[in-house]
Amino acid sequence: MIKNKTLHSNIKAKRLIQIFWAVELTLFLSSIQKVYLGEYFHSFLIVLTNIILIAVYLLAKQQKVQFAATLALSVMTIFATFFMWAHGGIYDPILLAYPCLLIVASMVGYKKLFISLITFMSISILLNTIVNYQGWYINEIDTNYIDSSITISLIILLISSISWMVYSDFHILWNQLSDEHTQALASKKKIEKLIHHDILTGLPNRMMAHSIFKEATSKNNKKVCLMFIDIDNFKQVNDGLGHKTGDELLKELSKRLSNEMKNLDFVCRFAGDEFVIILQSAKDEEVISQVAHNIIKTIRAPFRYQNHELFCTCSIGISVFPSDGVEFDALIQNADTAMYHSKSIGGNSFHFFNTYMDRQGHNYIAVVTDLRKALKEQQFVLYFQPQIDLLTQNIIGAEALIRWNHPKKGLLFPDSFIPQAEKSGLIVEIGEWVLYSACVTCKSFIELGFNDFSIAVNVSPQQFKRNNFYKIVQSVLKITGLPARHLELEMTESLLVDKSDELKQTLKSLSDLGVSFSIDDFGTGYSNLSYLQAFEIEVLKIDRTFVKDIEQNPKNKALVTAIIQMAKGLSLRTVAEGVESQEVASLLKTLHCDSGQGYYWAKALPEKEFIAFSKKYATTYD
């Protein structure tokens, strides 16, 4: 706005200077004419006016446009009025200067000045008419036609030059308006593209997807398929390698998806790492399935960025118009439900929507809603399963296990709500509550005389991949007053396979703090055990599936023996889960397993029952 105002002022100043030279030239020629006619007094007045108008030039050069315009127009109006009264009155050729001055006023003047000039001119003409009519003063009509014709010609030349300036201004303005119109059209197209396309990938966005679907389904008897695609574990890429890497991955995946499409098909970025494909070329489920297979295959291809090589998978949900719905939002919701079904069985797959999935989707929403309420109302409780040293038979710790005291369904085990908590992201808040509550309880156990006791807490990969996990653990230990050596964090093998620098740094910082780490359900995950060297792991927990029938199953016995021997070689302690009999406990002791937990000693117990059990157990083994 300020820039436009300055530009407008500069143009006015430029025009004033041009008008100044035109008037100066006209008055100079007019003064020569008066000298030639012997009208020396009039010639003197004209020269005096010329000199006064020099001030206009100086003011315009100093950008004092309003002052300069007022001075120029006032002086020239007075000059013209004087010569009108001195010569031919309303019939004098000098009156042609009035419209010329009004044109100048409209160009470089201001509203008040323009009104003042036209008022002054009108009154002057009216008074001159009255005084001549009443005979108070009679103007003599000049009969020197040559003199008049020269005056008229000079004024017409002045009007012409000023009119040319007006035309030039309008021409410039017209070109500016034309350019602005072109820019406005280009901006409109750009805005329309931004409204209907994703900025990062250039793909049609959710709004555009709706329009494409509406156009596709407007054709009679047209089957249209919606594929809802979600990239598995994309959040881990963002959290582990940064949003820039995540953005580059999304752009690459967008290109791959677009290359898979035919002319009638469209790829749209729906939100975040979610894509929607509007498929018009597929006529039956077999063809749709083949397209889905191809998409899974192309997404799975390695993605290389800087020094990283990433492998992605995706979960796909499919709904078909009109069999699964006729409205876009309903079909999207159904495809989303089918996508979550694909994700719930491990991802890297596709499924068509059916009504059973719809019920599952509603169940998922209901559980998540109840979980939020449970966090707010403190409906969770901790149970503790003792861990026994197989050599000394002492209780050396406990694993903290969460239970949900649901107001309507009663006591719920983790299997019934942890998957939904993981999927919804609530596992982070729930995990923080478990960590804090476990540390508080462990501190109270130690104060009761539980010496050399540690509490084991399961930690979700989502918690570890938050940049603030170290600070959370540090804060919890400080608030609860629990020494770090009494806290053991249990992790899954899938988390450690990542080997990212951020994860290594977090684990190192926690280890330096004094916290110990264990691998939960060891033996059920990845065969590549190089992470045992990369991270400071202290405990391997042997999964119950290998322990429960170790006496009858030679393969399981061999596997457990191998795990224990490997752990000894790496200076790691072993904990056997799922010990249910004295025979199994004795065999594990013979195999040099360090400790165990299971129903043979006790199931997971509430805090008060755990304390009672521990006292009774200590008495039994004294």
Side-chain angles (χ1 to χ4, degrees):
M1 184 71 181
I2 295 173
K3 184 178 179 181
N4 289 340
K5 190 174 181 180
T6 303
L7 179 63
H8 190 51
S9 178
N10 290 338
I11 293 173
K12 281 188 174 183
K14 181 181 177 182
R15 287 290 176 257
L16 267 175
I17 292 170
Q18 291 174 338
I19 291 167
F20 162 79
W21 287 115
V23 171
E24 287 285 289
L25 178 62
T26 302
L27 291 177
F28 174 72
L29 294 175
S30 181
S31 66
I32 293 174
Q33 177 193 7
K34 296 303 180 184
V35 170
Y36 177 77
L37 295 174
E39 299 176 6
Y40 300 110
F41 177 69
H42 289 167
S43 178
F44 168 76
L45 290 177
I46 294 171
V47 172
L48 181 63
T49 303
N50 265 3
I51 294 170
I52 294 171
L53 288 178
I54 292 174
V56 174
Y57 175 83
L58 297 175
L59 290 168
K61 278 288 187 181
Q62 296 173 10
Q63 295 294 314
K64 297 179 180 179
V65 177
Q66 187 171 2
F67 194 11
T70 302
L71 177 62
L73 291 168
S74 299
V75 169
M76 288 189 287
T77 301
I78 292 170
F79 174 83
T81 303
F82 170 79
F83 276 92
M84 178 195 77
W85 280 86
H87 293 90
I90 62 173
Y91 299 105
D92 197 275
I94 197 69
L95 273 186
L96 289 174
Y98 274 7
C100 178
L101 292 172
L102 291 175
I103 292 173
V104 173
S106 65
M107 287 174 61
V108 297
Y110 299 86
K111 187 176 181 180
K112 288 182 180 179
L113 178 59
F114 183 88
I115 293 172
S116 300
L117 289 176
I118 197 169
T119 301
F120 178 84
M121 292 174 183
S122 300
I123 293 172
S124 178
I125 292 170
L126 182 63
L127 283 175
N128 187 264
T129 303
I130 291 171
V131 298
N132 275 275
Y133 180 76
Q134 295 294 333
W136 299 334
Y137 176 80
I138 304 297
N139 286 106
E140 295 181 4
I141 299 175
D142 190 2
T143 57
N144 189 344
Y145 296 112
I146 295 176
D147 179 33
S148 297
S149 64
I150 292 173
T151 301
I152 292 170
S153 297
L154 289 173
I155 294 173
I156 288 176
L157 285 173
L158 180 61
I159 293 173
S160 299
S161 63
I162 293 173
S163 297
W164 178 256
M165 294 178 197
V166 174
Y167 166 76
S168 298
D169 286 344
F170 274 112
H171 185 69
I172 292 170
L173 179 62
W174 176 261
N175 288 336
Q176 287 178 343
L177 288 173
S178 179
D179 291 341
E180 289 177 4
H181 178 66
T182 303
Q183 291 173 6
L185 290 177
S187 298
K188 183 182 177 184
K189 289 181 180 179
K190 188 175 182 180
I191 291 169
E192 286 178 349
K193 185 174 180 180
L194 289 174
I195 291 173
H196 294 98
H197 289 78
D198 175 57
I199 297 175
L200 178 66
T201 63
L203 293 176
N205 60 13
R206 183 186 302 215
M207 185 184 297
M208 189 64 174
H210 197 164
S211 301
I212 294 170
F213 171 81
K214 188 174 181 180
E215 183 179 350
T217 55
S218 63
K219 303 168 186 177
N220 294 330
N221 302 319
K222 185 72 175 178
K223 179 183 283 189
V224 178
C225 166
L226 289 187
M227 287 187 176
F228 197 101
I229 303 171
D230 182 89
I231 308 303
D232 299 328
N233 301 320
F234 178 76
K235 190 175 184 301
Q236 295 180 10
V237 176
N238 265 348
D239 292 346
L241 300 177
H243 289 280
K244 185 175 181 181
T245 303
D247 287 347
E248 292 301 321
L249 176 59
L250 287 175
K251 288 194 281 189
E252 173 62 22
L253 295 179
S254 300
K255 291 178 184 177
R256 293 182 187 182
L257 289 172
S258 299
N259 291 336
E260 287 293 324
M261 296 301 104
K262 296 182 180 178
N263 292 335
L264 294 174
D265 305 327
F266 293 89
V267 181
C268 309
R269 187 185 179 198
F270 208 64
D273 62 332
E274 297 172 343
F275 297 88
V276 168
I277 291 178
I278 301 174
L279 205 63
Q280 302 180 65
S281 60
K283 304 300 181 183
D284 52 47
E285 285 194 5
E286 185 177 348
V287 177
I288 295 172
S289 298
Q290 186 58 53
V291 173
H293 274 299
N294 292 341
I295 290 172
I296 290 173
K297 184 178 178 181
T298 193
I299 293 293
R300 203 164 48 209
F303 168 70
R304 294 175 180 84
Y305 178 70
Q306 294 181 347
N307 297 325
H308 303 287
E309 185 175 58
L310 305 176
F311 295 88
C312 293
T313 59
C314 67
S315 300
I316 303 176
I318 303 169
S319 62
V320 180
F321 170 90
S323 57
D324 294 326
V326 294
E327 296 295 331
F328 178 75
D329 290 340
L331 284 163
I332 283 291
Q333 183 175 345
N334 290 341
D336 185 41
T337 299
M339 182 276 294
Y340 270 114
H341 181 75
S342 299
K343 192 174 284 291
S344 67
I345 62 172
N348 196 33
S349 61
F350 71 90
H351 285 87
F352 286 85
F353 171 78
N354 58 48
T355 53
Y356 169 73
M357 292 177 185
D358 195 26
R359 289 194 297 272
Q360 274 195 326
H362 286 301
N363 291 338
Y364 166 76
I365 294 170
V367 171
V368 171
T369 302
D370 284 352
L371 281 173
R372 295 184 191 279
K373 188 176 181 182
L375 275 167
K376 187 177 180 181
E377 298 181 359
Q378 296 288 307
Q379 295 175 5
F380 297 114
V381 293
L382 284 186
Y383 277 51
F384 304 90
Q385 187 169 35
Q387 294 178 343
I388 310 298
D389 186 307
L390 293 176
L391 185 61
T392 65
Q393 294 300 312
N394 292 329
I395 297 176
I396 58 172
E399 180 179 359
L401 299 166
I402 190 171
R403 301 288 186 264
W404 183 3
N405 195 9
H406 197 284
K408 295 181 180 178
K409 300 177 182 179
L411 195 66
L412 300 180
F413 285 76
D415 291 347
S416 64
F417 61 88
I418 289 299
Q420 291 87 341
E422 290 273 4
K423 189 185 299 183
S424 64
L426 288 173
I427 192 65
V428 175
E429 292 180 64
I430 293 173
E432 289 179 16
W433 178 87
V434 171
L435 179 65
Y436 175 79
S437 301
C439 288
V440 169
T441 306
C442 185
K443 183 69 163 54
S444 67
F445 286 166
I446 293 171
E447 290 173 350
L448 288 173
F450 287 64
N451 298 321
D452 297 325
F453 187 89
S454 64
I455 195 78
V457 178
N458 289 281
V459 182
S460 165
Q462 291 191 39
Q463 290 175 266
F464 261 109
K465 294 192 177 182
R466 294 289 178 99
N467 294 331
N468 62 344
F469 185 65
Y470 168 76
K471 291 182 179 179
I472 289 172
V473 175
Q474 185 185 43
S475 175
V476 167
L477 291 174
K478 184 177 180 180
I479 292 170
T480 60
L482 179 70
R485 68 178 182 278
H486 294 286
L487 177 62
E488 178 184 304
L489 299 178
E490 292 191 7
M491 304 170 290
T492 60
E493 292 179 86
S494 59
L495 169 66
L496 299 180
V497 169
D498 181 5
K499 293 186 185 178
S500 67
D501 293 336
E502 291 81 3
L503 179 60
K504 288 181 181 178
Q505 184 58 50
T506 300
L507 292 179
K508 185 180 184 307
S509 298
L510 288 170
S511 181
D512 292 342
L513 194 63
V515 175
S516 61
F517 303 101
S518 63
I519 304 298
D520 195 19
D521 301 333
F522 186 79
T524 61
Y526 294 82
S527 58
N528 183 359
L529 303 179
S530 60
Y531 62 82
L532 292 177
Q533 295 176 324
F535 301 104
E536 298 182 22
I537 308 300
E538 298 179 26
V539 181
L540 297 183
K541 298 193 72 175
I542 306 171
D543 189 68
R544 67 184 67 250
T545 56
F546 307 126
V547 173
K548 66 179 180 179
D549 60 349
I550 189 174
E551 291 181 294
Q552 294 81 24
N553 191 327
K555 290 184 178 179
N556 278 356
K557 181 180 178 181
L559 183 58
V560 171
T561 302
I563 293 173
I564 294 172
Q565 290 176 350
M566 179 189 68
K568 294 294 181 186
L570 295 172
S571 299
L572 305 178
R573 291 188 296 111
T574 50
V575 179
E577 297 181 296
V579 179
E580 298 183 0
S581 68
Q582 183 179 354
E583 290 76 18
V584 171
S586 298
L587 179 56
L588 288 168
K589 180 180 177 181
T590 303
L591 296 175
H592 304 291
C593 181
D594 296 300
S595 55
Q597 68 182 76
Y599 286 2
Y600 169 59
W601 294 285
K603 62 180 182 180
L605 301 167
E607 181 179 345
K608 290 182 179 179
E609 292 184 25
F610 181 87
I611 294 171
F613 165 81
S614 299
K615 290 179 179 179
K616 183 179 178 182
Y617 182 85
T619 303
T620 303
Y621 281 89
D622 276 347

